[in-house]
Amino acid sequence: MARDITRRDLFKAAKVTGAAVLGGAVITSVNSFAGRDGVAGFPWTYKKVDPDTAALRAYNGCFEAGCMFGAFEGVIGTLAEEHGEPFSSFPRAMMSYGGEGIAGWGTVCGTLNGTAAAVSLFVTGDARKAIIDELFNWFIQTPLPVFVPKEPKHNFEIKPKRPGSPLCHISISNSDYLFSEKELSERCLRLAADVSARAAVLLNSWLEGEFTAATMLMQETNDCLSCHDDGRKAPKARTKMNCVDCHPQDLMK
Amino acid sequence: MARDITRRDLFKAAKVTGAAVLGGAVITSVNSFAGRDGVAGFPWTYKKVDPDTAALRAYNGCFEAGCMFGAFEGVIGTLAEEHGEPFSSFPRAMMSYGGEGIAGWGTVCGTLNGTAAAVSLFVTGDARKAIIDELFNWFIQTPLPVFVPKEPKHNFEIKPKRPGSPLCHISISNSDYLFSEKELSERCLRLAADVSARAAVLLNSWLEGEFTAATMLMQETNDCLSCHDDGRKAPKARTKMNCVDCHPQDLMK
């Protein structure tokens, strides 16, 4: 890439072309890493989860103990109910720590933390990374939530909007509900349902050897990473988040 | 608070006084929430972990499978080795998903995600939130790492610096090692040791009924939250992270 092209030029070009540098790869290999002293039978054997079942269980679980618990519960709680062990012995309630970006800190969205944790019980290595990448990219770029419960906890119409970021704070700030506690709560309950269902879909396709990434890293991020990727040309950025969320002024240089 | 004081004024005043609005509370109560369909024996019963043992195990664990696994392993792996069940059956290897802010996304630092998860096996409700708050505030404000291994994986002198944020991307960007992969790796290995040891210290004090918060939310954050706290005066911010990391221009208004 020519060094005299500015970052702003790259940004504009990206908007026009809509092209993406990183393609999705079909990755189904499993790395059998089992931890320092090994845990027999890890990773666990996944069994198919019905996405609609996951969604409803996540919705109710989120209402009960927060978004990370709900999203995890949608997949692992369903497996526990339908198949028993080893799922039923997992202390699922621990996942309630991740609500509101971990104890209210607004870091990673609990629905992503919870589903990444769930995926990680079954999938390791490059395949796990590919599935988590797909979950995160889909989450960022998709107007959410789309799940509509038959018996809503709070009876509002919730307008889907792109979360734009895997961070709770930014995702919530991109919603329309910063002044309405109950509407925001309903938005996040439904988000947990959507993300848990999506994780089930991805795990189901991975189980069948048919997982492919449907989304890609945002073009703006790719443009920045084209220099900030390996720490040779510029400091390594070490993120896949959308750079302009926190560095908009840099694009003006 | 007078409404004609600008945010910038508040920011300056905070810098001068160094005062903090939120005090640390002694909280040792345990909420016995056990998830939607209950898991017998949750939360688990904590047993004391030697912080130095946790640190070394975290350092090695981080080298093996990333920072979230390492920090979790420092506490839970030590308990598994010293006490067996239920710790030894926990699929600890799952925690490797959180490396580099979850699969390289640069969101929450894996050492914090891993120790928050470990804390969450034993402590629930307000006490859990207080311990996680303390871990995060301490992490942000303390020059780290301070752990020096007897047998380093990479033989560098690592300069302690305040991570400044619970986010991997910002924490790493605040280090001196953006151009040096091995030095950065060594920095993060030692960080995992420090955070895991700190989690053990906090859990040990909580077990004794002596937990108190030693650190507080950053003053800059408190100043912003004085308006952005409940969504009545201004949009609720829903974060405890340092606002100026991503919103420096707002302080100029």
Coordinates of all heavy atoms in Angstrom, one line a residue, chain A residues 164-198:
Chain A
G164 N -23.2 -1.6 16.7 CA -22.0 -0.8 16.3 C -20.7 -1.2 17.0 O -19.6 -0.8 16.5
S165 N -20.8 -1.9 18.1 CA -19.6 -2.2 18.9 C -19.9 -3.4 19.8 O -21.0 -3.6 20.2 CB -19.2 -1.0 19.8 OG -18.2 -1.3 20.7
P166 N -18.8 -4.2 20.1 CA -19.0 -5.2 21.1 C -19.0 -4.7 22.5 O -19.2 -5.5 23.4 CB -17.8 -6.1 20.8 CG -16.7 -5.2 20.3 CD -17.5 -4.2 19.5
L167 N -18.8 -3.4 22.7 CA -18.8 -2.9 24.1 C -20.2 -2.5 24.5 O -20.9 -1.8 23.8 CB -17.8 -1.7 24.1 CG -16.4 -1.9 23.8 CD1 -15.6 -0.6 24.0 CD2 -15.8 -3.0 24.7
C168 N -20.5 -2.9 25.7 CA -21.8 -2.6 26.3 C -22.1 -1.1 26.2 O -23.2 -0.6 25.8 CB -21.9 -3.1 27.7 SG -23.2 -2.5 28.7
H169 N -21.2 -0.3 26.7 CA -21.4 1.2 26.8 C -21.7 1.8 25.4 O -22.7 2.6 25.3 CB -20.1 1.8 27.3 CG -20.1 3.3 27.3 ND1 -21.0 4.1 27.9 CD2 -19.3 4.2 26.5 CE1 -20.8 5.4 27.7 NE2 -19.8 5.4 26.8
I170 N -21.0 1.4 24.4 CA -21.3 2.0 23.0 C -22.5 1.4 22.4 O -23.3 2.1 21.8 CB -20.1 1.7 22.1 CG1 -18.8 2.4 22.6 CG2 -20.4 2.2 20.7 CD1 -17.6 2.2 21.8
S171 N -22.7 0.1 22.6 CA -23.9 -0.6 22.1 C -25.2 0.1 22.6 O -26.1 0.4 21.9 CB -23.9 -2.1 22.4 OG -25.1 -2.7 22.4
I172 N -25.2 0.3 23.9 CA -26.3 0.9 24.6 C -26.5 2.4 24.1 O -27.6 2.9 23.9 CB -26.2 0.8 26.1 CG1 -26.6 -0.6 26.5 CG2 -27.0 1.9 26.8 CD1 -26.5 -0.9 28.0
S173 N -25.3 3.1 24.0 CA -25.4 4.5 23.6 C -25.9 4.6 22.1 O -26.5 5.6 21.8 CB -24.0 5.1 23.7 OG -23.5 5.1 25.0
N174 N -25.8 3.5 21.4 CA -26.3 3.5 20.0 C -27.8 3.2 19.9 O -28.4 3.2 18.9 CB -25.5 2.6 19.1 CG -24.2 3.2 18.7 OD1 -24.0 4.4 18.7 ND2 -23.2 2.3 18.4
S175 N -28.4 2.8 21.1 CA -29.8 2.5 21.1 C -30.6 3.8 21.3 O -30.0 4.9 21.5 CB -30.1 1.5 22.2 OG -30.2 2.2 23.4
D176 N -31.9 3.7 21.2 CA -32.8 4.8 21.4 C -33.2 5.0 22.9 O -34.1 5.8 23.1 CB -34.0 4.7 20.5 CG -33.6 5.0 19.1 OD1 -32.7 5.7 18.8 OD2 -34.4 4.5 18.2
Y177 N -32.6 4.2 23.8 CA -33.3 4.1 25.1 C -32.4 4.5 26.3 O -32.5 3.9 27.3 CB -33.8 2.6 25.3 CG -34.6 2.2 24.1 CD1 -34.2 1.2 23.2 CD2 -35.8 2.8 23.8 CE1 -34.9 0.8 22.1 CE2 -36.6 2.5 22.7 CZ -36.2 1.5 21.9 OH -36.9 1.1 20.8
L178 N -31.7 5.6 26.1 CA -30.8 6.0 27.2 C -31.5 6.8 28.3 O -31.0 7.0 29.4 CB -29.7 6.9 26.6 CG -28.6 6.2 25.9 CD1 -27.5 7.2 25.4 CD2 -27.9 5.2 26.8
F179 N -32.8 7.1 28.0 CA -33.5 7.8 29.0 C -34.6 7.0 29.6 O -35.4 7.4 30.4 CB -34.1 9.1 28.4 CG -33.1 10.2 28.2 CD1 -32.5 10.4 27.0 CD2 -32.8 11.1 29.2 CE1 -31.6 11.4 26.8 CE2 -31.9 12.1 29.0 CZ -31.3 12.3 27.8
S180 N -34.7 5.8 29.1 CA -35.9 4.9 29.6 C -35.4 3.6 30.0 O -35.0 2.7 29.3 CB -36.8 4.7 28.4 OG -37.8 3.8 28.7
E181 N -35.3 3.4 31.3 CA -34.8 2.2 32.0 C -35.5 0.9 31.5 O -34.8 0.0 31.1 CB -34.9 2.4 33.5 CG -34.0 1.4 34.3 CD -32.5 1.6 34.1 OE1 -32.1 2.8 33.9 OE2 -31.8 0.6 34.2
K182 N -36.8 1.0 31.5 CA -37.6 -0.2 31.2 C -37.5 -0.6 29.7 O -37.4 -1.8 29.3 CB -39.0 -0.1 31.6 CG -39.2 -0.3 33.1 CD -40.6 -0.5 33.5 CE -40.6 -0.8 35.0 NZ -42.0 -0.9 35.5
E183 N -37.5 0.4 28.8 CA -37.3 0.1 27.4 C -35.9 -0.4 27.1 O -35.7 -1.3 26.3 CB -37.6 1.4 26.6 CG -39.1 1.7 26.4 CD -39.3 3.0 25.7 OE1 -39.2 4.1 26.4 OE2 -39.7 3.1 24.6
L184 N -34.9 0.2 27.8 CA -33.5 -0.3 27.6 C -33.4 -1.7 28.1 O -32.8 -2.6 27.5 CB -32.6 0.6 28.4 CG -31.1 0.2 28.2 CD1 -30.7 0.2 26.8 CD2 -30.2 1.2 29.0
S185 N -34.0 -2.0 29.2 CA -34.0 -3.4 29.8 C -34.6 -4.3 28.7 O -34.1 -5.4 28.4 CB -34.8 -3.4 31.1 OG -35.0 -4.7 31.5
E186 N -35.8 -4.0 28.2 CA -36.5 -4.8 27.2 C -35.6 -5.0 26.0 O -35.5 -6.1 25.4 CB -37.8 -4.3 26.8 CG -38.7 -5.1 25.9 CD -39.1 -6.5 26.5 OE1 -39.1 -6.6 27.8 OE2 -39.2 -7.4 25.8
R187 N -34.9 -3.9 25.6 CA -34.0 -4.0 24.4 C -32.9 -5.0 24.7 O -32.6 -5.9 23.8 CB -33.4 -2.6 24.1 CG -32.4 -2.5 23.0 CD -31.0 -2.5 23.6 NE -30.0 -2.2 22.6 CZ -28.7 -2.4 22.7 NH1 -28.2 -2.8 23.9 NH2 -27.8 -2.1 21.8
C188 N -32.3 -5.0 25.9 CA -31.2 -5.9 26.2 C -31.7 -7.3 26.4 O -31.0 -8.3 26.0 CB -30.4 -5.4 27.3 SG -29.5 -3.8 27.0
L189 N -32.9 -7.5 26.9 CA -33.4 -8.9 27.1 C -33.6 -9.5 25.7 O -33.2 -10.7 25.5 CB -34.8 -8.8 27.7 CG -34.9 -8.4 29.2 CD1 -36.4 -8.2 29.6 CD2 -34.3 -9.4 30.1
R190 N -34.1 -8.8 24.8 CA -34.3 -9.3 23.4 C -33.0 -9.5 22.7 O -32.8 -10.4 21.9 CB -35.2 -8.4 22.6 CG -36.6 -8.3 23.2 CD -37.6 -7.4 22.4 NE -38.8 -7.2 23.2 CZ -39.9 -6.7 22.7 NH1 -39.9 -6.2 21.4 NH2 -41.0 -6.5 23.4
L191 N -32.0 -8.6 23.0 CA -30.7 -8.8 22.4 C -30.1 -10.1 22.9 O -29.4 -10.8 22.1 CB -29.8 -7.6 22.9 CG -28.6 -7.2 22.1 CD1 -28.9 -6.8 20.7 CD2 -27.8 -6.1 22.8
A192 N -30.2 -10.4 24.1 CA -29.7 -11.7 24.7 C -30.3 -12.9 23.9 O -29.7 -13.8 23.6 CB -30.0 -11.8 26.2
A193 N -31.6 -12.8 23.6 CA -32.3 -13.8 22.9 C -31.7 -14.0 21.5 O -31.4 -15.1 21.0 CB -33.8 -13.5 22.8
D194 N -31.5 -12.8 20.8 CA -31.0 -12.9 19.5 C -29.5 -13.5 19.4 O -29.2 -14.3 18.5 CB -30.9 -11.4 18.9 CG -32.2 -10.9 18.5 OD1 -33.1 -11.7 18.2 OD2 -32.4 -9.7 18.5
V195 N -28.7 -13.0 20.4 CA -27.3 -13.4 20.3 C -27.2 -14.9 20.7 O -26.4 -15.7 20.1 CB -26.4 -12.6 21.2 CG1 -25.0 -13.0 21.3 CG2 -26.5 -11.1 20.8
S196 N -28.0 -15.3 21.7 CA -27.9 -16.7 22.1 C -28.4 -17.6 20.9 O -27.8 -18.7 20.6 CB -28.8 -17.0 23.3 OG -28.5 -18.2 24.0
A197 N -29.5 -17.2 20.2 CA -30.0 -18.0 19.1 C -29.0 -18.0 18.0 O -28.8 -19.1 17.3 CB -31.3 -17.3 18.6
R198 N -28.3 -16.9 17.8 CA -27.3 -16.8 16.7 C -26.1 -17.8 17.1 O -25.6 -18.5 16.2 CB -26.7 -15.4 16.6 CG -25.7 -15.2 15.5 CD -26.3 -15.3 14.1 NE -25.3 -15.2 13.0 CZ -25.5 -15.7 11.8 NH1 -26.7 -16.2 11.5 NH2 -24.6 -15.7 10.9

